[in-house]
């Protein structure tokens, strides 16, 4: 017999799933690893540091009208633990824009 899910949890899961598949919106895969991000930066002559990667991600997630097209964002481990320059955690920046943050789990 499968374990029973708490009704409140089930309601939250259903609401999250519905929000992620909103009409006209998609999920942003912003889960590039530090190595991948570093390769991209290198081609542009940008030194890859935690700060430069944070600045890039903050710029990406701060794009005007992003929330009109993106319902969720898959984040890399470093990103989900980062804070913006003003100290606001990156996941909170996304939530404030009605974008659901998630994490890539691969290890």
């Amino acid at each position: 017999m499968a374990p029973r899910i708490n009704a409140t949890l089930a309601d939250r899961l259903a609401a999250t799933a519905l929000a992620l598949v909103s009409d006209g919106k998609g999920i942003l895969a912003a889960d590039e690893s530090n190595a991948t991000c570093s390769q991209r930066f290198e081609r542009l002559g940008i030194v890859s540091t935690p700060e430069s990667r944070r600045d890039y991600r903050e710029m990406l997630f701060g794009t005007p009208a992003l929330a009109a097209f993106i319902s969720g964002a898959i984040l890399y481990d470093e990103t989900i633990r980062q804070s913006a320059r003003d100290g606001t955690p990156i996941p909170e920046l996304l939530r404030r824009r009605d974008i659901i943050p998630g994490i890539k789990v691969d290890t």
Side-chain angles (χ1 to χ4, degrees), residues 60-73:
L60 174 66
F61 300 140
T63 300
L66 182 70
F69 305 99
I70 302 299
S71 58

Side-chain angles (χ1 to χ4, degrees), residues 26-31 60-61 66 69-75 94 99:
I27 298 172
L28 174 64
D31 60 344
L60 174 66
F61 300 140
L66 182 70
F69 305 99
I70 302 299
S71 58
I74 304 168
L75 307 177
L94 292 167
I99 298 172

Side-chain angles (χ1 to χ4, degrees), residues 3-96:
R4 292 177 46 114
I5 297 177
N6 175 307
T8 304
L9 176 58
D11 292 342
R12 287 178 43 211
L13 287 170
T16 299
L18 286 173
L20 286 171
V21 297
S22 298
D23 285 344
K25 292 189 176 187
I27 298 172
L28 174 64
D31 60 344
E32 64 274 345
S33 68
N34 292 345
T36 300
C37 198
S38 295
Q39 290 171 356
R40 291 179 184 165
F41 280 15
E42 186 176 312
R43 287 189 292 252
L44 299 169
I46 301 169
V47 177
S48 181
T49 64
E51 292 78 20
S52 64
R53 292 189 299 271
R54 181 218 44 228
D55 290 346
Y56 162 72
R57 293 163 178 151
E58 191 172 353
M59 178 185 65
L60 174 66
F61 300 140
T63 300
L66 182 70
F69 305 99
I70 302 299
S71 58
I74 304 168
L75 307 177
Y76 184 64
D77 183 69
E78 179 182 67
T79 313
I80 207 161
R81 298 172 192 280
Q82 282 181 321
S83 292
R85 284 184 177 263
D86 70 0
T88 304
I90 296 286
E92 180 59 26
L93 288 178
L94 292 167
R95 280 190 286 273
R96 288 179 183 173

